[in-house]
Amino acid sequence: MRLPDGRRLAFADYGPRNGVPCIVLSGMPGSRLAPAWAFPEGLLAQGGVRLLGVDRPGYGGSDPNPSTSALGVADDVGVLCATVGLDRLAVLGISVGAPFALACAVRFPQRLGSLLLSSPMGPWELPETRAGMSRRNRRYFTLTCREDAGAATPAPGSS
């Protein structure tokens, strides 16, 4: 879909269209495709759940946003909700997707019936966020914070 500023927001819709809707904001390097392997269609149909996987800015089919923030991502999700007609929904934030899910609760609390956080990641700049990570994961997240082509990349989970 196209956002008001012209960027593309990619999403995928899983489960019955009349099911209880839940936006899924995956971790890194997750995408809109994650619900397909994590939640089989039969299980979604049996539970009456509709999942909408969303690619955050710069992931998968979503265009980058040079001024991305957690609240900005929530604004994009709000446009998606209005476009597909979701008045009441749940939001699931997985790992690095958790801060964006929290931002959805801030931006449109009247729409949220549930907020679910799975393995939420805190702000990268805090030492306790990195303390329990493996060396490999610390290196991976550190690399995502480096400058690329002269444009600063915000730390995962920062706003």
Side-chain angles (χ1 to χ4, degrees):
M1 66 170 276
R2 288 277 175 196
L3 295 165
D5 65 3
R7 288 180 298 116
R8 285 176 307 182
L9 179 69
F11 72 97
D13 208 336
Y14 304 95
R17 298 300 175 258
N18 64 345
V20 176
C22 179
I23 300 287
V24 179
L25 298 166
S26 296
M28 277 180 27
S31 75
R32 71 189 182 283
L33 306 176
W37 58 263
F39 302 99
E41 280 289 327
L43 182 63
L44 295 175
Q46 180 182 0
V49 176
R50 176 184 183 188
L51 297 179
L52 290 96
V54 179
D55 284 347
R56 293 187 311 274
Y59 280 72
S62 290
D63 291 333
N65 181 350
S67 59
T68 295
S69 69
L71 292 173
V73 171
D75 292 338
D76 293 349
V77 170
V79 172
L80 170 63
C81 291
T83 301
V84 299
L86 302 180
D87 294 325
R88 194 92 168 130
L89 66 142
V91 175
L92 167 60
I94 303 167
S95 187
V96 175
F100 303 103
L102 287 168
C104 289
V106 169
R107 278 294 201 237
F108 43 91
Q110 71 285 358
R111 282 192 175 156
L112 255 65
S114 297
L115 173 65
L116 308 126
L117 305 178
S118 176
S119 303
M121 180 164 172
W124 178 247
E125 60 276 6
L126 297 177
E128 55 268 28
T129 300
R130 299 184 301 274
M133 283 186 171
S134 68
R135 181 176 172 201
R136 178 177 170 219
N137 280 350
R138 280 194 309 272
R139 186 169 20 165
Y140 175 73
F141 282 101
T142 299
L143 289 173
T144 65
C145 297
R146 291 197 177 165
E147 290 191 15
D148 180 32
T153 303
S158 67
S159 53

